[in-house]
Coordinates of all heavy atoms in Angstrom, one line a residue:
L170 N 12.9 41.3 -73.2 CA 11.9 41.2 -72.2 C 11.3 42.5 -71.9 O 10.0 42.7 -71.8 CB 12.5 40.6 -70.9 CG 11.6 40.4 -69.7 CD1 10.4 39.4 -70.1 CD2 12.3 39.9 -68.5
E171 N 12.1 43.5 -71.6 CA 11.6 44.8 -71.3 C 10.9 45.5 -72.5 O 9.8 46.1 -72.3 CB 12.7 45.7 -70.8 CG 13.5 45.2 -69.5 CD 12.6 45.4 -68.3 OE1 11.4 45.7 -68.4 OE2 13.1 45.0 -67.2
M172 N 11.5 45.4 -73.6 CA 10.9 46.0 -74.8 C 9.5 45.3 -75.2 O 8.5 45.9 -75.5 CB 11.8 45.8 -76.0 CG 13.0 46.7 -76.0 SD 12.7 48.4 -76.4 CE 14.4 49.0 -76.4
G173 N 9.5 44.0 -75.0 CA 8.3 43.2 -75.4 C 7.1 43.6 -74.5 O 6.0 43.4 -74.9
R174 N 7.4 44.1 -73.3 CA 6.3 44.5 -72.4 C 5.6 45.8 -72.9 O 4.4 46.0 -72.5 CB 6.8 44.7 -71.0 CG 7.2 43.4 -70.3 CD 7.9 43.7 -69.0 NE 8.1 42.4 -68.2 CZ 8.9 42.3 -67.2 NH1 9.7 43.3 -66.9 NH2 9.1 41.1 -66.6
L175 N 6.3 46.6 -73.6 CA 5.8 47.9 -74.0 C 5.5 48.0 -75.5 O 4.6 48.7 -75.9 CB 6.8 49.0 -73.6 CG 7.1 49.1 -72.1 CD1 8.1 50.2 -71.9 CD2 5.8 49.4 -71.3
L176 N 6.2 47.3 -76.3 CA 6.0 47.4 -77.8 C 5.0 46.3 -78.2 O 5.4 45.4 -78.9 CB 7.3 47.2 -78.5 CG 8.4 48.3 -78.2 CD1 9.6 48.0 -79.0 CD2 7.9 49.7 -78.4
H177 N 3.8 46.4 -77.8 CA 2.8 45.4 -78.0 C 2.5 45.2 -79.5 O 2.2 44.1 -80.0 CB 1.5 45.7 -77.2 CG 1.7 45.7 -75.8 ND1 2.1 44.6 -75.0 CD2 1.6 46.7 -74.9 CE1 2.2 44.9 -73.8 NE2 1.9 46.2 -73.6
G178 N 2.5 46.3 -80.2 CA 2.1 46.2 -81.6 C 3.2 46.1 -82.6 O 3.0 46.1 -83.8
A179 N 4.4 46.1 -82.1 CA 5.6 46.0 -83.0 C 6.3 44.7 -82.9 O 6.4 44.1 -81.8 CB 6.5 47.2 -82.7
R180 N 6.9 44.2 -84.0 CA 7.6 43.0 -84.0 C 9.1 43.3 -83.7 O 9.7 44.2 -84.4 CB 7.5 42.2 -85.3 CG 8.2 40.9 -85.3 CD 8.0 40.2 -86.7 NE 8.9 40.7 -87.7 CZ 8.5 41.6 -88.7 NH1 7.2 41.9 -88.7 NH2 9.3 42.0 -89.6
L181 N 9.7 42.6 -82.8 CA 11.1 42.8 -82.5 C 12.0 41.8 -83.2 O 11.8 40.6 -83.0 CB 11.4 42.8 -81.0 CG 10.8 44.0 -80.2 CD1 10.9 43.7 -78.7 CD2 11.6 45.3 -80.5
E182 N 13.0 42.3 -83.9 CA 14.0 41.4 -84.5 C 15.3 41.6 -83.8 O 16.0 42.6 -84.0 CB 14.1 41.7 -86.0 CG 12.8 41.5 -86.8 CD 12.4 40.0 -86.9 OE1 13.3 39.1 -86.7 OE2 11.2 39.7 -87.2
P183 N 15.8 40.6 -83.1 CA 17.1 40.8 -82.3 C 18.3 40.8 -83.3 O 18.4 40.0 -84.2 CB 17.1 39.6 -81.4 CG 16.3 38.6 -82.0 CD 15.2 39.3 -82.8
Y184 N 19.2 41.7 -83.0 CA 20.5 41.8 -83.7 C 21.6 41.9 -82.7 O 22.1 42.9 -82.3 CB 20.5 43.1 -84.6 CG 21.7 43.1 -85.6 CD1 21.6 42.5 -86.8 CD2 22.9 43.7 -85.2 CE1 22.6 42.5 -87.7 CE2 24.0 43.7 -86.1 CZ 23.8 43.1 -87.3 OH 24.9 43.1 -88.2
P185 N 22.0 40.7 -82.1 CA 23.0 40.6 -81.1 C 24.4 40.9 -81.6 O 24.8 40.4 -82.7 CB 22.9 39.2 -80.6 CG 22.4 38.4 -81.7 CD 21.4 39.3 -82.5
V186 N 25.1 41.8 -80.9 CA 26.5 42.1 -81.2 C 27.4 41.3 -80.4 O 27.2 41.3 -79.1 CB 26.8 43.6 -81.0 CG1 28.2 43.9 -81.3 CG2 25.9 44.5 -81.9
V187 N 28.2 40.5 -81.0 CA 29.1 39.6 -80.2 C 30.5 40.1 -80.2 O 31.2 40.2 -81.3 CB 29.0 38.2 -80.8 CG1 29.9 37.2 -80.1 CG2 27.6 37.7 -80.9
N188 N 31.0 40.4 -79.1 CA 32.4 40.9 -78.9 C 33.4 39.8 -78.6 O 34.6 39.9 -78.9 CB 32.5 42.0 -77.9 CG 31.8 43.3 -78.3 OD1 31.7 43.6 -79.5 ND2 31.2 44.0 -77.3
T189 N 32.9 38.8 -77.9 CA 33.8 37.7 -77.5 C 33.1 36.4 -77.8 O 31.9 36.2 -77.4 CB 34.1 37.8 -76.0 OG1 34.7 39.1 -75.7 CG2 35.0 36.7 -75.5
K190 N 33.8 35.5 -78.4 CA 33.2 34.1 -78.7 C 33.2 33.3 -77.4 O 34.2 33.1 -76.7 CB 34.1 33.4 -79.7 CG 34.3 34.2 -81.0 CD 32.9 34.3 -81.8 CE 33.1 35.0 -83.1 NZ 31.8 35.1 -83.8
L191 N 32.0 32.9 -77.0 CA 31.8 32.2 -75.8 C 31.1 30.8 -76.0 O 30.6 30.2 -75.0 CB 31.0 33.0 -74.8 CG 31.5 34.4 -74.4 CD1 30.5 35.1 -73.6 CD2 32.8 34.2 -73.7
A192 N 31.1 30.3 -77.2 CA 30.4 29.1 -77.5 C 31.1 27.9 -76.9 O 32.3 28.0 -76.5 CB 30.3 28.9 -79.1
N193 N 30.4 26.8 -76.9 CA 30.9 25.5 -76.4 C 31.4 25.6 -74.9 O 32.4 24.9 -74.5 CB 32.0 25.0 -77.3 CG 31.6 24.8 -78.7 OD1 30.5 24.3 -78.9 ND2 32.4 25.2 -79.7
G194 N 30.7 26.4 -74.1 CA 31.1 26.5 -72.7 C 32.4 27.2 -72.4 O 32.9 27.1 -71.3
S195 N 32.9 27.9 -73.4 CA 34.2 28.6 -73.1 C 34.1 29.7 -72.1 O 35.1 30.2 -71.5 CB 34.8 29.2 -74.4 OG 33.9 30.1 -75.0
W196 N 32.9 30.2 -71.8 CA 32.7 31.2 -70.8 C 33.1 30.7 -69.4 O 33.3 31.6 -68.5 CB 31.2 31.7 -70.8 CG 30.2 30.6 -70.7 CD1 29.7 29.9 -71.8 CD2 29.6 30.0 -69.6 NE1 28.8 28.9 -71.4 CE2 28.7 29.0 -70.0 CE3 29.7 30.3 -68.2 CZ2 28.0 28.2 -69.1 CZ3 29.0 29.5 -67.3 CH2 28.1 28.5 -67.8
L197 N 33.1 29.4 -69.2 CA 33.5 28.9 -67.9 C 35.0 29.1 -67.6 O 35.4 29.1 -66.5 CB 33.2 27.4 -67.9 CG 31.7 27.0 -67.8 CD1 31.5 25.5 -68.0 CD2 31.2 27.4 -66.4

Side-chain angles (χ1 to χ4, degrees):
L170 179 63
E171 299 290 4
M172 290 282 187
R174 287 171 175 162
L175 299 178
L176 301 180
H177 299 296
R180 185 181 76 256
L181 287 171
E182 298 293 340
Y184 190 90
V186 176
V187 181
N188 291 329
T189 303
K190 301 297 183 181
L191 300 174
N193 300 321
S195 61
W196 50 272
L197 287 168

